[in-house]
Coordinates of all heavy atoms in Angstrom, one line a residue:
L34 N 117.3 188.7 149.5 CA 117.6 189.4 148.1 C 118.8 190.1 148.1 O 119.3 190.5 149.2 CB 116.3 190.3 147.9 CG 115.0 189.5 147.9 CD1 113.8 190.6 147.6 CD2 114.9 188.5 146.7
T35 N 119.2 190.3 146.9 CA 120.5 191.4 146.7 C 119.8 192.5 146.2 O 119.4 192.6 144.9 CB 121.5 190.6 145.7 OG1 121.8 189.4 146.3 CG2 122.7 191.5 145.7
A36 N 119.8 193.5 147.0 CA 119.0 194.8 146.4 C 120.0 195.7 146.1 O 121.3 195.8 146.5 CB 118.3 195.4 147.5
D37 N 119.7 196.5 145.0 CA 120.6 197.6 144.7 C 120.6 198.8 145.6 O 120.0 198.7 146.7 CB 120.2 198.3 143.3 CG 120.3 197.1 142.1 OD1 121.2 196.2 142.3 OD2 119.7 197.3 141.2
S38 N 121.6 199.6 145.5 CA 121.7 200.8 146.4 C 120.3 201.5 146.3 O 119.6 201.6 145.5 CB 122.8 201.7 146.0 OG 122.7 202.2 144.7
K39 N 120.1 202.0 147.5 CA 118.8 202.7 147.6 C 118.7 203.9 146.6 O 119.6 204.7 146.6 CB 118.5 203.2 149.0 CG 117.2 203.7 149.4 CD 117.1 204.0 150.8 CE 115.7 204.3 151.2 NZ 115.5 204.7 152.7
P40 N 117.7 203.8 145.9 CA 117.7 205.0 144.7 C 117.5 206.3 145.4 O 116.9 206.5 146.5 CB 116.6 204.7 144.1 CG 115.7 203.8 144.9 CD 116.5 203.0 145.7
E41 N 118.2 207.2 144.9 CA 118.1 208.6 145.4 C 116.8 209.2 145.1 O 116.3 208.9 143.9 CB 119.2 209.4 145.0 CG 120.5 208.9 145.5 CD 121.8 209.8 145.0 OE1 121.4 210.6 144.1 OE2 122.9 209.5 145.3
K42 N 116.3 210.0 145.9 CA 115.0 210.7 145.4 C 115.4 211.8 144.5 O 116.3 212.6 144.8 CB 114.3 211.1 146.8 CG 113.8 210.1 147.7 CD 113.1 210.7 148.9 CE 112.5 209.7 149.8 NZ 111.8 210.2 150.9
K43 N 114.7 211.8 143.5 CA 115.0 212.8 142.4 C 113.8 213.7 142.3 O 112.7 213.1 142.6 CB 115.4 212.1 141.1 CG 116.6 211.3 141.2 CD 116.8 210.7 139.8 CE 118.1 209.8 139.9 NZ 118.5 209.4 138.6
S44 N 114.0 214.8 142.0 CA 113.0 215.7 141.7 C 112.2 215.4 140.4 O 112.8 214.7 139.6 CB 113.4 217.2 141.6 OG 114.4 217.3 140.6
K45 N 111.2 215.8 140.3 CA 110.3 215.5 139.1 C 111.0 216.2 137.9 O 110.8 215.9 136.8 CB 108.9 216.0 139.3 CG 108.2 215.1 140.5 CD 106.9 215.6 140.6 CE 106.1 214.7 141.7 NZ 104.6 215.1 141.8
K46 N 111.6 217.2 138.3 CA 112.3 218.0 137.0 C 113.4 217.3 136.5 O 113.8 217.6 135.4 CB 112.6 219.6 137.6 CG 111.5 220.3 138.1 CD 112.0 221.7 138.5 CE 110.8 222.6 139.0 NZ 111.2 223.9 139.4
R47 N 114.1 216.5 137.2 CA 115.4 215.7 136.7 C 114.9 214.6 135.8 O 113.9 213.8 136.1 CB 116.1 215.2 137.9 CG 117.1 216.2 138.3 CD 118.0 215.4 139.3 NE 119.1 216.3 139.8 CZ 120.1 215.9 140.7 NH1 120.2 214.7 141.2 NH2 121.1 216.7 140.9
K48 N 115.6 214.5 134.8 CA 115.3 213.2 133.9 C 116.1 212.0 134.5 O 117.1 212.1 135.0 CB 116.0 213.6 132.5 CG 115.3 214.6 131.8 CD 115.7 214.9 130.4 CE 115.0 216.0 129.7 NZ 115.5 216.3 128.3
R49 N 115.3 210.9 134.2 CA 116.0 209.6 134.7 C 117.2 209.2 133.8 O 117.0 209.4 132.6 CB 114.9 208.5 134.7 CG 113.7 208.7 135.7 CD 112.8 207.6 135.8 NE 111.6 207.8 136.7 CZ 111.7 207.6 137.9 NH1 112.8 207.1 138.4 NH2 110.7 207.9 138.7
K50 N 117.9 208.6 134.4 CA 119.3 208.2 133.6 C 118.8 206.9 132.7 O 118.3 206.0 133.2 CB 120.4 207.8 134.5 CG 120.9 209.1 135.2 CD 122.2 208.8 136.0 CE 122.7 209.9 136.8 NZ 123.9 209.6 137.6
D51 N 119.3 207.0 131.6 CA 119.0 205.7 130.5 C 119.8 204.7 130.9 O 121.0 204.8 131.2 CB 119.1 206.2 129.1 CG 118.1 207.3 128.8 OD1 117.1 207.4 129.5 OD2 118.5 208.0 127.7
G52 N 119.4 203.5 130.8 CA 120.2 202.2 131.0 C 120.2 201.8 132.3 O 120.8 200.7 132.7

Side-chain angles (χ1 to χ4, degrees):
L34 303 177
T35 302
D37 294 340
S38 59
K39 192 174 183 180
E41 297 178 358
K42 293 183 178 180
K43 297 181 181 180
S44 61
K45 297 180 179 180
K46 295 181 180 180
R47 274 187 171 182
K48 296 181 179 180
R49 297 182 180 277
K50 295 182 180 180
D51 297 336

